[in-house]
């Protein structure tokens, strides 16, 4: 992978991590179009995911700082409960990551057919959330946090958007759009950082980066961070204005195009 390819894929990752269109699915599609080896892409994906975590922290820095301040008061306050809900939401994806990691990686290696079908499923999730009119609850409950966490665990499948699935699930459960969007972006921090640290401990990261230059990794990281910052800020605004249905249309068209491409 050269620096130009890293730049393109970094931008794709940054934009699609927060827009409900599946970052992993688009990375697979982009890699296939550029003719990049899948093993290289796995190492690159680790870096660009770390970049989008950093962009999330920057965009939501005020909310994160407020949560940390409340947490370290060591009292049963709103911030402590919110962090507990984030921790609960990470349990399902943690179980998938620990016990089913090899299975998930094999699914990613099975080509783009699954990605196409999962993009269509993402479109269905977004459409249901757009047309549903559930009662608006003031706060995300522990029950809702766990259910949204299950949705996040399912979204490890390529083409099934993590943000699209979790935000749609939260809306269908009756939570306010802006609140569930911020919860969705915050809940991904622990799983991504945990996976990154796990790969570092196992030594997988060093082995995986053997075929990628440092300049390509740095280019991809910067591209993913900048585009992720823009997309994260933009997505919070888009959810407020209720325009998720446009992404449902996009995912339906993209999924159909991928399936036709693979069949032909």
């Amino acid at each position: 992978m050269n620096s130009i390819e890293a730049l393109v894929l970094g931008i794709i990752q940054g934009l699609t991590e927060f827009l409900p269109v599946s970052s992993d699915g688009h990375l697979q599609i982009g890699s296939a179009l550029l003719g990049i080896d899948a093993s290289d892409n796995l190492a690159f994906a680790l870096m660009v995911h770390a970049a989008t975590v950093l962009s999330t922290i920057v965009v939501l820095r005020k909310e994160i700082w407020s949560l940390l301040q409340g947490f370290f008061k060591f009292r049963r306050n709103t911030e402590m409960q919110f962090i507990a809900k984030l921790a609960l939401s990470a349990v399902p994806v943690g179980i998938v990551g620990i016990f089913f990691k090899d299975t998930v990686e094999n699914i990613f290696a099975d080509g783009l057919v699954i990605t196409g079908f999962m993009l269509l499923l993402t479109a269905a999730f977004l459409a249901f959330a757009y047309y549903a009119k559930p009662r608006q609850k003031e706060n995300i409950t522990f029950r809702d946090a766990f259910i949204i966490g299950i949705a996040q665990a399912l979204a490890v499948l390529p083409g099934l958007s993590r943000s699209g699935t979790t935000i749609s699930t939260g809306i269908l459960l009756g939570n306010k759009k802006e609140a569930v969007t911020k919860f969705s972006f915050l809940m991904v921090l622990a799983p991504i950082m945990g996976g990154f640290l796990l790969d570092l401990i196992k030594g997988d990261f060093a082995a995986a980066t053997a075929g990628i230059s440092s300049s390509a990794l740095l280019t991809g990281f910067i591209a993913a961070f900048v585009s992720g910052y823009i997309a994260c800020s933009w997505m919070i605004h888009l959810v407020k204005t209720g325009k998720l249905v446009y992404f449902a249309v996009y995912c339906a068209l993209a999924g159909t195009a991928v399936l036709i491409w693979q069949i032909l």
Side-chain angles (χ1 to χ4, degrees), residues 109-160:
D110 284 342
L112 293 175
V113 174
I114 291 178
T115 299
F117 279 117
M118 291 301 104
L119 282 170
L120 294 178
L121 185 57
T122 296
F125 268 118
L126 294 171
F128 278 127
Y130 177 76
Y131 289 108
K133 303 295 181 184
R135 180 176 62 86
Q136 296 281 294
K137 293 184 286 190
E138 289 299 319
N139 297 299
I140 296 172
T141 64
F142 280 96
R143 167 184 167 273
D144 289 355
F146 186 71
I147 295 174
I148 295 171
I150 293 174
Q152 176 172 248
L154 294 175
V156 299
L157 294 171
L160 188 58

Side-chain angles (χ1 to χ4, degrees), residues 14-21 59-60 126 161-168 171 177-178 180-182 184-185 227-245 247-248:
L15 291 176
T16 57
E17 177 65 37
F18 300 103
L19 302 182
V21 295
V59 172
L60 299 177
L126 294 171
S161 168
R162 191 204 64 81
S163 62
T165 303
T166 54
I167 292 171
S168 297
I171 292 173
K177 294 177 181 178
E178 184 179 1
V180 78
T181 300
K182 290 183 178 180
S184 171
F185 291 165
S227 58
Y229 178 89
I230 295 170
C232 185
S233 304
W234 187 36
M235 185 61 187
I236 292 173
H237 171 72
L238 284 177
V239 172
K240 288 181 185 177
T241 56
K243 295 180 179 178
L244 288 179
V245 69
F247 295 105

Side-chain angles (χ1 to χ4, degrees), residues 111-113 257-264:
L112 293 175
V113 174
V258 168
L259 290 175
I260 293 173
W261 174 27
Q262 291 300 292
I263 292 172
L264 298 179

